[in-house]
Amino acid sequence: MPEITVEYSASLGDAFDRRGFALALHPVVVETVDAKMPACQTRFTVAEEFVAGDGSADDAVLHVGIGLLAGRSAEAKARLSEAVLGLAEQHLKPAGRPVHISAEVRDLDASYRKR
């Protein structure tokens, strides 16, 4: 915990600095929701295909999901979501296409375990 997953369009390729994003995100997570740095883990998944609206545009997607142990306020989660959006924009080079950026910070299920 925190469990961070990033799904991004394959079409972004090297336009998204994944490692730089994760290294910038972890301290923000620690500061915003009182997490521990060694517990931060970020996984990246490529979305091979993405369709927005009527599919006529060659859009891309970048979605960040952060799962936290319960107990953080809605305000802290909202602050973290906003910070994630800003960091994502900073780590995207112009891709020549619209990029839909989203973030969700949610509580992990009570069954969550980690070793």
Side-chain angles (χ1 to χ4, degrees):
M1 189 293 301
E3 293 291 333
I4 305 164
T5 56
V6 180
E7 184 176 22
Y8 66 97
S9 294
S11 62
L12 289 177
D14 291 335
F16 177 41
D17 176 11
R18 296 175 297 279
R19 182 172 177 78
F21 173 74
L23 292 174
L25 177 60
H26 293 175
V28 171
V29 172
V30 167
E31 183 178 306
T32 307
V33 294
D34 194 32
K36 305 294 183 217
M37 182 63 78
C40 292
Q41 304 174 28
T42 299
R43 293 184 304 276
F44 295 91
T45 303
V46 176
E48 293 295 333
E49 192 167 345
F50 171 73
V51 178
D54 65 6
S56 63
D58 187 24
D59 295 2
V61 65
L62 194 163
H63 175 74
V64 181
I66 302 176
L68 303 170
L69 294 175
R72 275 58 174 215
S73 69
E75 294 79 15
K77 292 180 203 173
R79 278 194 314 276
L80 182 53
S81 290
E82 286 296 326
V84 167
L85 295 177
L87 280 175
E89 289 174 333
Q90 291 172 22
H91 288 85
L92 271 173
K93 298 174 191 156
R97 73 188 79 230
V99 180
H100 300 264
I101 305 172
S102 58
E104 176 190 22
V105 179
R106 68 191 183 316
D107 289 342
L108 292 167
D109 190 82
S111 67
Y112 175 82
R113 299 293 184 270
K114 178 180 168 185
R115 289 182 196 219

